[in-house]
Amino acid sequence: MIHHVADMDHRPPPGMGGWMPVEATIVNIQQENFNTRTFTLRFVDESLCESYRFEPGQFNMLFVPGVGEAAISISSSPYQIGAMDHTIRMVGAVTRGIDRIGVGGVVGVRGPFGRGWPLNKLAGKDVIILGGGIGLAPLRPLIHWLLRHREQCRRVVLLYGCRSPEDRLYAAELEAWSGRSDLDVLVTVDNADEHWTGPVGVVTNLLQRIKVNADQTVVFVCGPRVLNRVAAWNFLQLHVPPAQVYVSLERNMNCGFGRCGHCQYGKHFVCRDGPVFCFADIADIFAKEEI
Amino acid sequence: MSQTNASNQKYFLPRAGLEPLVRILRQRGYTVLAPTRRDEIISLAPVESADQIARGVHDHQDGGRYRLTQADPEIMFEYVLGADSPKRYLFPPELPLVELRVRGNRFVPTSQPPAIAQYAFLGIRACELAAIKVQDRVFGHAGQDTLCADAAEYYRRTRRQALVIAVNCTRPGGTCFCASMGTGPAATEGFDLSLTELRDGFLLTVGSQAGAALCAELEIRAPTSTEEGLAEMKLAAARSHMQRHLDTRGLKERLEQTIDDPNWERVAARCLSCGNCTMVCPTCFCFTVSDSSGLTDGVYGRTRRWESCFSHQFSYVAGSGPVRSTIAARYRHWLRHKLCTWWDQFGVSGCVGCGRCITWCPVGIDLTEEASRLGRHVPGAGVVPIPKAGGTKEALP
Amino acid sequence: MLAKRPIPKVPPKSRLAVFKFSSCDGCQLSLLNLEEHLLELVDAVEVAYFLEARRRELPPPYDVGLVEGSISTPHEAQRIRQVRRDCRYLVAIGACASSGGIQALRNWADIGEFVGAVYPNPQYIRTLDTATPIAAHVFVDFELRGCPVNHAQLLELVSALLVGRRPNVPTSSLCLECKRRGLPCVLVTHGQPCLGPAVQAGCGALCPACNRGCYGCFGPMEQPNLNSLGDRFLELGASHRQIKHLLRMFNAYQEPFKQASDHHERLEQQK
């Protein structure tokens, strides 16, 4: 049984499902930490700026001519029309290529691909969002969506962990969110500096600081492979039902629509059936190595 | 092509009728692809005359071994499959997808979409028709998935225009197990015409309107009941002479429980991770689209190539390395995909029983043997002996 | 295995230098044999130092250095350090530079004996005991395999660096290339030992196309399973000695080939 039903079904607009990416201008670059930047893109085609929609948790294939493509999740609010953000860690030729292009330059986009966070599963529930490192990027559109639909759910908690205070993504926004009464934000770092007054340690330790109303809670997790695993197990041990735990996974992606085979994960194509998975759907393989 | 609602009308096509058939197809603009003899293998290649079709040879196939020997020169199709399948033409090993230039803030295409050839497959087998049906599901020919419509356009258009004249197998190959997979040795659907070879000609079955239309131009007559009976007998004999079998009862369910099976390590000791099985498999569809650029012309290209899940880099994730870093994990992924998770993804088996992965594995790993061993591990029962590849000793040249 | 370092994007008209160490010049010749692409190449980059092609020498630094040959003399061991300092991006080209080459066969023997046998006045010969790949001495950014290197891969390397792409140089088996071309498998159809299933792709399956087995001039692929392939060769009737010789050629000193050839040598001697 597939527990995951997205309330939106956003697929590439006509012409964006083929191999020819469409052009988007880099309109802004925001430095997040030493190797991570947020790129704001705006489609060159004005009508696409208006019509392009995505669901929180979906990704685009970003293209640099002659260099290649990389799957990057969309990290801006789904309500922001006209421009969208991609937060990118410079670890490969494509991501470095995007960086080299710089503000005013053009990259290619195909997408949006995949299935995002299950926005129709939250009604009347507590929501815990747990992110590690750059894993906050695909969670950011979800947070924006939740803040817009705040009345639908009960408590909303954001747990975020990263290496050091300087490594936090969206630092200003995190500050702003911390000040809100309708959102509980807890941030922890592995290595504190002398100005840091918050918690220190792995992000799952933050679970000790909050009350988890097990069967009334929906959990969204995104982080490195190991964190995803540890976090999911922690929530299961707190008796959160497997059908209410959602994890976003990272894999090698080439086509984006479940054909090239690179991202296969058991019976799933991560690019098409994910990247967000309900734990109940992957429980049989989630703890296994090299699947 | 290949609607199954046509008449199933049967005729007798004399041996001499094959040449006019090739001629008519070519007159209609088809590139006729038929089994030809190339060096020491049967290769699916364009022919201009029926004379170019391989005849008078038998193939001898076993794990990691393929040989041709001389046989009755009058008989055409008493060999089965070479390494090639129609996949090579419908889903080519290398296909340029787009070429573009950057002009200001626009990507300007500088190439036309790849030209679509009109293929007539002559002499392909029942298992290959089954394989085409599997890839139809993968590339969305049947319209199950519109998401990749643009991207799978080449497959869909080539496929739509293709004509299939199948040949039923009267002499199974040494690695065939189509009877186990329910895909052969006789074609039951998915063809325009099918042929069963008899001494003086072929029993011809019409499979589609297009096939019926072709028949109108052929020198055919109604078959005698002896000819029909003989064809039936030959196919029944082929079925019963098949040497390899795979028990598919409960196979998917059994394989679902095999992630931790100790046999993966054992087969990984033999597996070369060379990817031959995935290249020759008529259903394997994995590919990589890679980018290129000219030295000075400012033209950027995107090309699709067959890729193999046995490549170490296939599952590479930037920043954290390959997901399946061991040969055992890659073999496990491939075999479970073929026989188990393919059902979840596409509603069919990913294996059609053609046996190519067995023949063309350099060390002769046998899928049927490996699959039958999995999920049956009894702790403490010891290790089952490793079977030897099917080659006989041969002197070095 | 090469350490991963970011792929740079070199500017147009980058300065390219080509260096020769112990080698036959075949890989440099491959550059000159690019024919119609050669003019394009000199248009795209500034050939600053390439003694085999032109007398003019532009001083360092260079953006891209292509190094042919192995390190087999004390002088070469010194000189490669300077070359590394002079080049922003250093690429070892060919079997000698990436594995030590055919001259690395001396690594199994006594070099003094060879020198004595070959030269009338061996006292003037300064040589190292071993011939080793460039990466054994300095950091190498990228490798092109082959004896000699493949034209298409050379072009791919330069065009990739000009846009900052990771060069599309697969590390998977030769069989993938061979099968994409639709060539008959010489191992399966003739029972001929072919190293293809354990050798890195890149040559376009030249030897199988001529109906002969691959002898591994591109060296081992990622994770080769030479135990299993060696067992198969034995079944096909090859001797340990023949298998050893097959492995001890252009890339003899690449670790997987070295281990496997040593293994077959031991078994040969036990017999």
Side-chain angles (χ1 to χ4, degrees), chain B residues 38-41 43 62-67 83-84 88 93-94 267-276 278-280 290-297 300 305-308 310-313 316 324-327 330 359-364 388-397, chain C residues 1 4 37 39-45 155-156 158-160 162-163 165 168 170-193 196-198 209 211 221-239 242:
Chain B
R38 171 182 176 181
D39 301 326
E40 290 306 308
I41 59 166
S43 167
D62 201 344
R65 186 185 152 87
Y66 182 99
R67 296 289 187 282
D84 283 342
R88 174 168 295 280
E94 185 167 315
V267 67
R270 297 178 66 211
C271 176
L272 304 173
S273 204
C274 59
N276 272 300
T278 56
M279 296 288 108
V280 297
S290 47
D291 288 84
S292 59
S293 52
L295 279 172
T296 50
D297 58 4
Y300 303 107
R305 287 186 189 84
W306 288 355
E307 188 50 272
S308 172
F310 281 96
S311 297
H312 188 236
Q313 299 298 305
Y316 185 86
R324 288 182 285 275
S325 62
T326 63
I327 295 180
R330 298 200 284 277
T359 301
W360 300 98
C361 172
V363 293
K388 286 289 176 194
T392 48
K393 297 266 178 191
E394 280 170 66
L396 284 172
Chain C
M1 201 66 195
K4 286 248 163 96
H37 295 294
L39 293 175
E40 229 188 315
L41 184 78
V42 295
D43 228 19
V45 295
L155 286 173
E156 167 63 14
V158 177
S159 56
L162 285 166
V163 296
R165 166 176 76 246
N168 186 10
T171 52
S172 43
S173 80
L174 177 65
C175 298
L176 297 189
E177 270 186 336
C178 193
K179 282 289 184 292
R180 284 192 202 110
R181 278 189 68 178
L183 299 174
C185 174
V186 296
L187 196 156
V188 170
T189 60
H190 298 302
Q192 228 189 91
N211 238 326
M221 69 168 192
E222 56 192 21
Q223 290 190 335
N225 187 346
L226 286 160
N227 282 343
S228 174
L229 190 62
D231 287 350
R232 181 64 175 142
F233 290 172
L234 292 171
E235 283 170 11
L236 293 170
S239 66
Q242 284 169 312

Side-chain angles (χ1 to χ4, degrees), chain A:
Chain A
M1 168 181 167
I2 297 286
H3 296 264
H4 181 146
V5 184
D7 71 334
M8 296 190 257
D9 185 19
H10 287 136
R11 296 183 157 212
M16 285 186 74
W19 290 108
M20 182 64 142
V22 303
E23 311 87 341
T25 310
I26 302 174
V27 293
N28 189 47
I29 301 177
Q30 169 73 41
Q31 185 83 31
E32 301 288 351
N33 64 35
F34 79 104
N35 73 349
T36 308
R37 287 170 202 164
T38 297
F39 295 77
T40 306
L41 306 182
R42 189 177 170 83
F43 289 113
V44 170
D45 184 344
E46 277 303 320
S47 66
L48 204 50
C49 290
E50 293 300 315
S51 63
Y52 187 89
R53 295 285 184 279
F54 67 92
E55 56 182 285
Q58 282 193 302
F59 66 93
N60 281 320
M61 298 300 294
L62 297 189
F63 167 75
V64 178
V67 177
E69 285 185 321
I72 311 283
S73 43
I74 308 167
S75 53
S76 48
S77 161
Y79 296 104
Q80 176 181 311
I81 304 299
M84 59 185 168
D85 293 346
H86 292 82
T87 300
I88 302 174
R89 206 156 38 122
M90 311 300 148
V91 290
V94 177
T95 50
R96 284 197 181 82
I98 295 168
D99 195 36
R100 268 195 293 264
I101 286 171
V103 172
V106 171
V107 297
V109 180
R110 293 191 298 123
F113 294 120
R115 295 198 301 179
W117 306 103
L119 305 174
N120 58 349
K121 299 280 180 173
L122 312 172
K125 297 280 203 302
D126 286 351
V127 176
I128 300 178
I129 300 166
L130 187 148
I134 197 164
L136 188 58
L139 292 165
R140 185 170 171 235
L142 170 72
I143 298 166
H144 279 278
W145 186 90
L146 280 166
L147 293 177
R148 181 74 74 105
H149 298 269
R150 190 59 191 84
E151 73 292 347
Q152 287 195 11
C153 42
R154 299 195 309 194
R155 205 156 63 111
V156 179
V157 183
L158 169 63
L159 309 177
Y160 179 49
C162 54
R163 282 192 194 143
S164 73
E166 299 86 71
D167 283 318
R168 279 174 300 169
L169 304 186
Y170 320 124
E173 204 167 28
L174 276 175
E175 290 294 327
W177 287 340
S178 301
R180 293 180 71 121
S181 57
D182 56 354
L183 179 64
D184 295 337
V185 179
L186 284 172
V187 180
T188 180
V189 296
D190 296 337
N191 304 302
D193 58 16
E194 68 269 25
H195 306 296
W196 183 253
T197 54
V200 174
V202 293
V203 61
T204 45
N205 286 352
L206 295 176
L207 287 174
Q208 296 159 7
R209 296 172 179 247
I210 60 168
K211 186 174 174 300
V212 178
N213 204 345
D215 46 320
Q216 291 306 309
T217 298
V218 177
V219 173
F220 301 118
V221 178
C222 185
R225 231 184 283 183
V226 178
L227 174 64
N228 284 343
R229 194 171 291 181
V230 173
W233 283 115
N234 271 296
F235 284 114
L236 294 177
Q237 288 200 318
L238 291 167
H239 303 292
V240 178
Q244 287 164 220
V245 176
Y246 291 86
V247 188
S248 181
L249 305 180
E250 190 189 11
R251 285 267 160 161
N252 179 326
M253 292 178 194
N254 191 256
C255 71
F257 42 76
R259 288 300 176 276
C260 74
H262 287 257
C263 70
Q264 279 183 84
Y265 180 54
K267 64 186 176 187
H268 307 286
F269 292 100
V270 173
C271 69
R272 186 191 68 182
D273 308 331
V276 175
F277 286 96
C278 176
F279 184 85
D281 293 330
I282 52 173
D284 54 335
I285 49 177
F286 193 62
K288 306 288 184 190
E289 296 293 337
E290 305 237 323
I291 293 295

